[in-house]
Amino acid sequence: FITLFITPALAQNSEEYVAILTAELDTTVDPHARIDLKIQIEEVRYNMDADAGKLMAKEAHSVNHFEAEGKCLGNVGFILSREGKRDEAIEYYHQALDIYRITGSGPGIAGVYNDLAGIYSDINELEFALEYYETSLLIYTDLQDSFGMAMVSHNIASQYLQAED
């Protein structure tokens, strides 16, 4: 765990960081830690595709690492949304949301609500977007997560600006 928190500060660039994470992955036996490292590597590279995310979600599920499964499903939702496959993205975000509810992950739930709101904003579904943003904001407020509160507040303001309200 120390390596996961200190290493980013020491790495000169993302490829160095990926090399460090890959070396750690090669020596790690714990299945939960291995999945966490794989997720980190893909996120640093910023090149995960939907199929890889789905496979990682299945792998996480197979070892009962549900937090990682939720993260992978959310990543798949993000990728699909970026590819313009919004309906499919919404399905994956809801799968992630279900898992985060089971695990009780407040940050996970708040993040998915924010992401869902973004999709509804993109398709001009103002009512749904604001509902999801408000839910996300309430959760971040309960968690006293000032970064999350600021991010979602910005998104809400942007939504009102888009609606010219």
Side-chain angles (χ1 to χ4, degrees):
F1 286 100
I2 292 173
T3 304
L4 294 176
F5 292 108
I6 295 175
T7 304
L10 301 176
Q12 294 294 319
N13 61 47
S14 62
E15 283 310 310
E16 278 184 35
Y17 187 41
V18 167
I20 291 167
L21 292 172
T22 302
E24 188 169 343
L25 178 63
D26 291 341
T27 62
T28 301
V29 216
D30 177 60
H32 286 209
R34 289 184 59 76
I35 291 168
D36 291 338
L37 287 164
K38 288 178 184 180
I39 292 169
Q40 269 191 290
I41 289 167
E42 291 302 316
E43 288 178 342
V44 169
R45 286 185 176 153
Y46 200 73
N47 70 348
M48 182 186 293
D49 63 29
D51 290 336
K54 291 173 188 177
L55 285 173
M56 289 175 67
K58 286 181 184 178
E59 182 181 349
H61 183 82
S62 73
V63 296
N64 299 322
H65 190 355
F66 301 114
E67 188 75 22
E69 181 182 6
K71 185 170 185 80
C72 289
L73 293 170
N75 286 347
V76 171
F78 174 78
I79 293 162
L80 293 170
S81 175
R82 194 178 62 205
E83 293 174 354
K85 300 174 183 173
R86 291 185 180 106
D87 290 339
E88 196 176 349
I90 289 169
E91 289 176 32
Y92 276 90
Y93 278 132
H94 278 287
Q95 288 177 36
L97 191 56
D98 290 343
I99 289 169
Y100 284 139
R101 284 182 177 137
I102 291 167
T103 64
S105 172
I109 294 168
V112 170
Y113 275 123
N114 182 63
D115 293 339
L116 281 166
I119 290 176
Y120 286 110
S121 176
D122 289 346
I123 60 175
N124 294 315
E125 292 283 345
L126 175 64
E127 192 173 316
F128 283 121
L130 286 173
E131 178 183 331
Y132 283 129
Y133 281 138
E134 293 292 341
T135 302
S136 179
L137 181 59
L138 286 172
I139 295 167
Y140 280 129
T141 301
D142 286 346
L143 295 170
Q144 298 179 347
D145 180 335
S146 57
F147 178 79
M149 290 186 293
M151 173 186 63
V152 176
S153 295
H154 168 79
N155 292 342
I156 291 170
S158 295
Q159 188 65 56
Y160 280 115
L161 183 63
Q162 180 181 333
E164 297 180 357
D165 187 357

